[in-house]
Amino acid sequence: MDAFADLFRGVRAQGSLFGSSTLSAPWSLLFVDGAPLTLCTVLEGSGWIVPEGCPPEHLAPGDTLIVRGPAPFSFIDEIGTEAEPIECGEHCATPEQGGTLHRLGWNDCGTGDQADATTLVVGAYPVRGEIGRRLLDALPDVLRVAPGGTADSVRDLLAAEVAVDAPGQQVVLDRLLDWMLVCSLREWFDRPGGEPPAWYAAHRDPVVGHALRLLHAEPAAPWTVSSLADRSGVSRATMAKRFANLVGEPPLTYLTCWRMTLAADLLADREEASIAEIARAVGYSDAFGFSAAFKRIRGITPSEFRRAGTAPPDRGDLPELMTSDSRHAPRDSTPTSS
């Protein structure tokens, strides 16, 4: 497990495809559901994405645009189009409207001449929980991925799937959208001149990348800088300096922040679990040390966070709760210096 993969636990398509259709000008689609993250890709033709508060973005065949919500955005045939805006959202793709291949409100050009038609696929991601928010925080309001990279093959599969009506189609499309989102974000992070988040760039380093994978694979382990260095095959001083230089903070500070992110989702998702159980699940032997660390990072106590009514992430892939008192971990692994 690495940091990039770990963050995608909170970003997963689940029947979230708004729809696909072949459009003939003029058109103006207004997406109003306010999804935290929306992927738009043009399979044929062209058009303009107009995010609220951002400049219009032209989409040519093969272009992919990822838009951060919750502000609405439009897809239009041209700037200044005469088409009346048609609101579109998740309701457009319900089974009673034809499922994924719905035609409601999309100005479908039908079976006639499609020489000038545009085919758009839009997938919305209901990002939940603190884990997914860490990924969103690393993204701009709008990012573009041009064709010519690894996402092209996924786009071809997506184009083939939206052209048929077969059992299990929504499941296939959901997984293809997940795949395409991962490929698109990797290409955007890796682009020439790009400025990827430190936790992403650091994975290319053989020492720090290995350390990050260890921390994400075993977040509740009783890590110290020395044990992390031993597992990575370097000295403690090398680990502390190299990690801080590449990630921007000491390794155990990074670990504490990640543990508090996991804990926040556990607090929201598992109301039946006690604070002590959640503490053990993320690497603390008692609730006192955990609560102190949580308040230091989050500004409120775990109980206050839970009472605030944070929406549950609705996922089953959070750390397993450790209920046995025989499994101990450090009270607080965050050092004062590294």
Side-chain angles (χ1 to χ4, degrees), residues 13-15 100 161 167-178:
Q14 183 76 33
T100 301
E161 187 63 28
Q169 184 184 49
Q170 186 66 64
V171 176
V172 174
L173 288 168
D174 283 343
R175 300 293 75 78
L176 286 173
L177 281 168
D178 287 342

Side-chain angles (χ1 to χ4, degrees), residues 102-237:
H102 74 277
R103 296 295 184 242
L104 176 65
W106 284 66
N107 198 22
D108 180 30
C109 68
T111 58
D113 182 14
Q114 298 188 10
D116 297 325
T118 292
T119 301
L120 172 73
V121 173
V122 177
Y125 287 82
V127 181
R128 300 181 179 95
E130 297 299 308
I131 293 175
R133 289 191 186 98
R134 280 174 65 110
L135 177 62
L136 290 180
D137 289 344
L139 305 179
D141 292 335
V142 179
L143 66 90
R144 168 192 294 275
V145 178
T150 57
D152 285 8
S153 58
V154 188
R155 190 182 300 108
D156 292 342
L157 291 172
L158 192 61
E161 187 63 28
V162 298
V164 301
D165 187 7
Q169 184 184 49
Q170 186 66 64
V171 176
V172 174
L173 288 168
D174 283 343
R175 300 293 75 78
L176 286 173
L177 281 168
D178 287 342
W179 187 7
M180 189 164 179
L181 180 63
V182 172
C183 290
S184 298
L185 290 180
R186 283 194 311 200
E187 288 186 24
W188 189 78
F189 285 148
D190 291 336
R191 73 196 188 282
E195 296 181 359
W199 49 258
Y200 181 88
H203 273 283
R204 297 187 181 278
D205 183 84
V207 173
V208 178
H210 181 65
L212 282 169
R213 284 185 285 273
L214 288 173
L215 295 178
H216 279 265
E218 305 173 55
W223 292 110
T224 64
V225 177
S226 295
S227 65
L228 197 60
D230 288 342
R231 292 278 297 273
S232 303
V234 296
S235 69
R236 182 189 183 283

